[in-house]
Amino acid sequence: MKISHFGRRVSYSSAFSLCLFSGAPAVAELEEIIVTAQFRTQNLQEVPVAVRAFSATEIVDAGISSSQDFVDLTPNLALDDSFTYGNTFISIRGVSQINNADSPVAIIVDGVPQNNQKQFKMQLFDIERIEVLRGPQGSLYGRNAIGGAINIVSKKPTNELEGSVGATFGNGGLQEYTGAISGPILADTLAFRLAGSYLERDGLIDNTFLGTEADFVDEDYAVRGALMFTPSESLSIDLRLATAEFEAGSSYDVITDAQFNPTYRSGDANSFFDPDENFLGVTEGEFDEATLKVDWDMDFATLTLITGYTDLSENYQADLDFSNPEGLGGFQGVFGEVRQSQDLDVELLSQEIRLTSNESSNLTWVAGAFYIQTDRELQTLAGCDDDPACAAFLEVAFGLDFTPDDDFVFINRREDNDNTAWALFGQAEYSVSDKLTFQFGLRYDEDDREQTDLNAGGKSTATYDAWQPKLGLVYDFSEDMMGYATYSTGFRSGGFNAPGLQLPEFEDEFLQNYEAGLKSELLEGRLVLNTAVFWSQSDDYQFFFVDAASAAQFIGNLEEVEILGLDADFRFLASDAFEIYGGVGLADTEINEVGRVTSDALIASGVDITRVEGSRAPKNTPVTFNLGGQFTANVSSQISLIARVDYEHRGKRYWQVDNIDVQDELNLVNARLGLNGESWAVTVWGRNLTDEEYYTDFNPAEFSGSLTDIGFPAQPRTYGVDLSYVF
């Protein structure tokens, strides 16, 4: 499966951008991107998977400084902020993440899986490459790669002294600083790299009652250090340590309808409001991480050992009813000072052992084993914050019985979750001829879960397991065109809802995917066009809702969901100075069967179950596409100008399973204009230039446990300037 032309001239960045900070003449060709999506080094165009990859050059050109930035440039992928500063929901090809459950995407940073929901939202600095694999990747990446996988690779230590510093200033009091330095300790044997990032902002979303911004960031900093030891050409040892800490706004959901009525359903996810809480939400968090990677080239294959350890914690405190004391027409204020808080502590320890063959024969393969141990402790509190009037009302209205010692707390749930998972996997490719290659993959995952109710002392245990096969056929039509057809699978583990609830357990989810794709280079290498069509069926599709009777959050299962879609990406070098790029994502979902247990629970929550079957899956956006252009010109022999515009279209968003709450289509525009010298760059930029108002999460009362519909507002227009210097 070789495509020689691709090795010379294909990839994803503008020709002139290759000369960033160099002042050298531009070359009229597209940059080549090398990826490790299949655990071996390959040209992007030779990988039979729908991959959207971002090189170090494009990361700079596009101004990618957070996980949100590259997600917005990838059709059929979405990342929604919700509730706390570090809390996000990722959706890919119609499969979505839900609160307090596993991701539908395997997130891998420098070879280590990020298995908690709080780990994906991050500031990206000193990054070498980002790879987004769309479609289930269970045979190689294992559990939770049901929708795809994302590899983030940071820059390695170097044997020559180099470094960079950068600063960003923007509206809303935005200040961001980055820096990196790398070099040898022992020439050609031991090298180091140290990089860091610091962010703060006043915020742009007003709390109209308190007269301050709700989306402030007091601090968000991260430091990463690496040592690379290469005692011989065949052995390398890579040690990385990282720490991060943040304090920022939290839980500034807004009440989106004007009726204090639990039976009222606005069905309107498009009226935009500002937060109006009487208590300013705050999130605090920190994490520490260590990674050790060993690569040993044994001639016939490379042995890779990856050990990862993560310790993370998050605490938030916020208003519970999302309103001020006066509330909506005086109704909401009867609750007084109602607060909520949550403490989360997670420890993860993972180990992967992998053997990857060399490419000296028609047969290439990879085989390995994986183990991860996760300890997760969670406490959720709700109370009246020492407010006797609030306590007195709740005692009468809901029959609660407070004592002087409980600080008017009426919800106190504490749980400990121990999760031990292991897997064996392998994948092989056999080239029958110069044109035809067969691909075989298989993985077995087993996930043992134990939950302990730290208040009542009860314990629940369960084991979830799955075989995840993959079959593929790859055909080189010519040196410039490759086609593939695959059957692939994905598995998302089941688990437990909070202790003491009527739906204690949710089932694991299994997805089967049939896909056909084409990767091509046209117009003498000036156009790269990659397309893939797919049909998927998900059994026991996981989703989130709230049981009205107990006001408790639940993860439930839809018995069968069908997904039909398309991924397409292109790059076109229209001239030596102008590049056009874009992509289309289609993911049309349909709920075929709900299942009896879920039907009963939804009916009890006030949902019209007759609307669910035949509807789209929750958080589904059937149509997304991107279109952009980048123009580069030499101002002088040492200075170049880069102008870039990115347009993103998001189709209608179907928030819940009954499809009553639908967000209108969105059109977002970002732009950048910069001057690059031999060692410096100055760039002005703007995001959401048309100042679109929309929600990144929306939950009606039937699905949120609130007494009214609530939505989490997106940031308005932002703009600023980037300054950078390399040496």
Side-chain angles (χ1 to χ4, degrees):
M1 192 175 63
K2 304 294 181 186
I3 305 178
S4 60
H5 287 6
F6 290 142
R8 294 199 303 270
R9 63 186 183 222
V10 171
S11 190
Y12 284 5
S13 185
S14 74
F16 282 83
S17 298
L18 297 173
C19 304
L20 183 65
F21 302 135
S22 69
V27 180
E29 62 180 16
L30 292 167
E31 179 201 10
E32 179 183 11
I33 287 186
I34 300 298
V35 297
T36 54
Q38 298 189 121
F39 297 163
R40 65 173 66 249
T41 300
Q42 293 176 287
N43 186 291
L44 175 64
Q45 293 301 111
E46 297 178 2
V47 180
V49 178
V51 182
R52 173 70 167 102
F54 300 84
S55 68
T57 302
E58 187 175 6
I59 290 170
V60 172
D61 287 350
I64 294 173
S65 61
S66 71
S67 47
Q68 185 72 63
D69 294 336
F70 76 81
V71 167
D72 291 345
L73 292 169
T74 307
N76 264 341
L77 183 66
L79 185 66
D80 301 318
D81 284 322
S82 177
F83 214 65
T84 69
Y85 178 67
N87 196 65
T88 56
F89 296 105
I90 189 169
S91 301
I92 185 168
R93 280 190 172 186
V95 183
S96 297
Q97 184 163 11
I98 45 185
N99 207 30
N100 297 323
D102 291 329
S103 171
V105 181
I107 311 296
I108 311 296
V109 178
D110 291 332
V112 176
Q114 312 294 295
N115 274 40
N116 190 272
Q117 182 178 5
K118 311 294 183 179
Q119 291 181 278
F120 186 48
K121 183 176 180 179
M122 66 183 82
Q123 297 302 113
L124 296 176
F125 57 95
D126 205 37
I127 300 298
E128 180 65 31
R129 189 174 66 254
I130 302 166
E131 306 168 5
V132 181
L133 289 69
R134 289 166 290 190
Q137 307 296 322
S139 63
L140 282 182
Y141 291 86
R143 66 183 192 134
N144 306 334
I146 193 166
I150 296 176
N151 287 326
I152 299 175
V153 182
S154 59
K155 292 183 178 180
K156 294 182 178 181
T158 58
N159 279 311
E160 294 184 359
L161 184 64
E162 65 176 38
S164 65
V165 291
T168 295
F169 303 97
N171 62 327
L174 173 65
Q175 299 181 57
E176 184 175 4
Y177 305 95
T178 59
I181 187 169
S182 179
I185 299 175
L186 297 174
D188 300 320
T189 303
L190 181 63
F192 78 96
R193 192 173 196 96
L194 182 65
S197 170
Y198 177 84
L199 168 73
E200 67 176 55
R201 69 170 183 242
D202 298 329
L204 291 166
I205 299 174
D206 293 329
N207 182 308
T208 54
F209 179 73
L210 295 178
T212 187
E213 284 72 37
D215 60 327
F216 66 91
V217 180
D218 281 345
E219 65 172 6
D220 180 350
Y221 75 81
V223 179
R224 182 173 62 240
L227 289 174
M228 176 71 77
F229 180 48
T230 53
S232 67
E233 291 184 358
S234 61
L235 179 65
S236 66
I237 301 172
D238 187 353
L239 173 65
R240 303 192 179 208
L241 302 174
T243 186
E245 189 171 322
F246 65 82
E247 181 176 335
S250 175
S251 315
Y252 42 90
D253 294 74
V254 299
I255 297 171
T256 61
D257 65 69
Q259 298 191 36
F260 184 72
N261 182 348
T263 65
Y264 176 75
R265 184 73 175 273
S266 70
D268 181 8
N270 302 293
S271 297
F272 198 80
F273 300 86
D274 291 318
D276 195 34
E277 297 100 329
N278 67 319
F279 178 74
L280 192 64
V282 176
T283 312
E284 297 177 337
E286 59 183 82
F287 84 85
D288 298 296
E289 188 173 72
T291 302
L292 178 64
K293 182 181 180 184
V294 179
D295 287 302
W296 179 25
D297 187 349
M298 300 185 295
D299 293 332
F300 78 98
T302 297
L303 177 66
T304 300
L305 307 175
I306 304 175
T307 304
Y309 172 78
T310 300
D311 183 1
L312 71 88
S313 63
E314 183 196 70
N315 165 268
Y316 82 83
Q317 300 181 51
D319 203 319
L320 181 60
D321 59 8
F322 305 107
S323 73
N324 63 62
E326 288 75 28
L328 301 173
F331 290 108
Q332 201 82 326
V334 296
F335 292 105
E337 300 280 335
V338 190
R339 308 285 178 89
Q340 59 177 310
S341 66
Q342 192 172 85
D343 287 294
L344 172 70
D345 290 288
V346 181
E347 282 190 84
L348 303 100
L349 177 64
S350 64
Q351 178 67 60
E352 183 163 342
I353 303 173
R354 192 166 68 225
L355 198 61
T356 306
S357 71
N358 61 29
E359 299 190 30
S360 60
S361 68
N362 290 340
L363 177 66
T364 59
W365 50 267
V366 58
F370 177 75
Y371 169 87
I372 187 167
Q373 172 67 42
T374 305
D375 295 321
R376 174 177 171 271
E377 188 171 325
L378 180 69
Q379 180 176 25
T380 303
L381 297 170
C384 290
D385 193 40
D386 300 326
D387 185 343
C390 168
F393 173 81
L394 292 174
E395 284 179 334
V396 174
F398 298 100
L400 298 175
D401 184 19
F402 295 104
T403 66
D405 297 327
D406 63 14
D407 295 325
F408 305 121
V409 171
F410 55 87
I411 294 177
N412 183 1
R413 295 194 179 102
R414 295 175 61 229
E415 60 183 89
D416 181 76
N417 294 270
D418 292 330
N419 169 217
T420 301
W422 62 273
L424 299 173
F425 63 91
Q427 184 165 297
E429 292 184 357
Y430 180 69
S431 297
V432 178
S433 66
D434 291 341
K435 290 183 174 295
L436 182 62
T437 299
F438 289 100
Q439 189 177 65
F440 314 89
L442 184 64
R443 182 175 180 125
Y444 176 75
D445 276 89
E446 183 173 295
D447 194 355
D448 298 316
R449 300 205 169 206
E450 179 181 281
Q451 183 190 76
T452 302
D453 186 339
L454 298 177
N455 288 332
K459 185 174 291 188
S460 302
T461 60
T463 297
Y464 308 94
D465 65 333
W467 291 94
Q468 299 175 83
K470 180 178 183 178
L471 299 174
L473 176 68
V474 184
Y475 190 80
D476 292 341
F477 295 100
S478 68
E479 288 185 335
D480 301 327
M481 184 176 294
M482 177 262 282
Y484 64 91
T486 59
Y487 165 75
S488 57
T489 54
F491 159 70
R492 178 157 52 171
S493 184
F496 302 105
N497 288 303
L501 303 181
Q502 68 182 57
L503 293 178
E505 184 179 354
F506 56 93
E507 299 299 322
D508 52 344
E509 180 181 355
F510 190 80
L511 185 142
Q512 302 179 76
N513 180 68
Y514 299 85
E515 185 164 336
L518 192 68
K519 293 196 169 185
S520 57
E521 175 192 15
L522 307 169
L523 303 179
E524 299 182 345
R526 301 179 77 92
L527 171 64
V528 173
L529 176 63
N530 298 330
T531 60
V533 293
F534 60 90
W535 178 85
S536 304
Q537 179 177 299
S538 175
D539 296 324
D540 291 318
Y541 183 105
Q542 295 175 5
F543 80 107
F544 175 85
F545 69 102
V546 171
D547 176 67
S550 58
Q553 299 178 354
F554 285 109
I555 298 168
N557 298 94
L558 299 170
E559 194 165 307
E560 183 181 296
V561 173
E562 185 177 323
I563 308 169
L564 178 65
L566 164 77
D567 283 312
D569 299 292
F570 78 91
R571 291 272 174 174
F572 176 47
L573 195 59
S575 71
D576 292 351
F578 185 50
E579 181 184 354
I580 305 171
Y581 47 85
V584 177
L586 305 178
D588 190 16
T589 63
E590 182 176 353
I591 301 171
N592 290 335
E593 295 183 47
V594 178
R596 183 186 58 81
V597 173
T598 300
S599 293
D600 292 345
L602 288 173
I603 292 171
S605 294
V607 177
D608 182 358
I609 195 65
T610 63
R611 296 184 60 96
V612 177
E613 286 195 2
S615 292
R616 291 181 168 89
K619 290 185 168 64
N620 181 212
T621 305
V623 180
T624 56
F625 66 81
N626 295 76
L627 182 64
Q630 182 165 301
F631 173 79
T632 309
N634 287 334
V635 177
S636 69
S637 61
Q638 296 182 332
I639 299 176
S640 62
L641 178 146
I642 295 182
R644 179 184 176 111
V645 176
D646 288 288
Y647 166 74
E648 179 189 3
H649 174 81
R650 303 179 190 177
K652 290 183 177 181
R653 192 78 183 272
Y654 296 83
W655 288 111
Q656 302 298 340
V657 292
D658 56 10
N659 289 184
I660 293 177
D661 308 283
V662 182
Q663 183 160 271
D664 289 341
E665 298 177 347
L666 291 173
N667 297 288
L668 304 174
V669 179
N670 301 336
R672 297 175 62 82
L673 178 65
L675 291 175
N676 296 337
E678 289 186 333
S679 59
W680 56 268
V682 178
T683 304
V684 293
W685 54 266
R687 296 191 178 102
N688 188 12
L689 290 176
T690 56
D691 203 21
E692 293 277 356
E693 294 183 333
Y694 61 99
Y695 295 108
T696 63
D697 195 20
F698 187 90
N699 294 282
E702 290 83 351
F703 292 88
S704 68
S706 173
L707 294 170
T708 55
D709 300 350
I710 58 174
F712 196 83
Q715 277 199 324
R717 180 191 299 117
T718 59
Y719 50 86
V721 59
D722 293 342
L723 310 172
S724 60
Y725 177 78
V726 300
F727 58 88

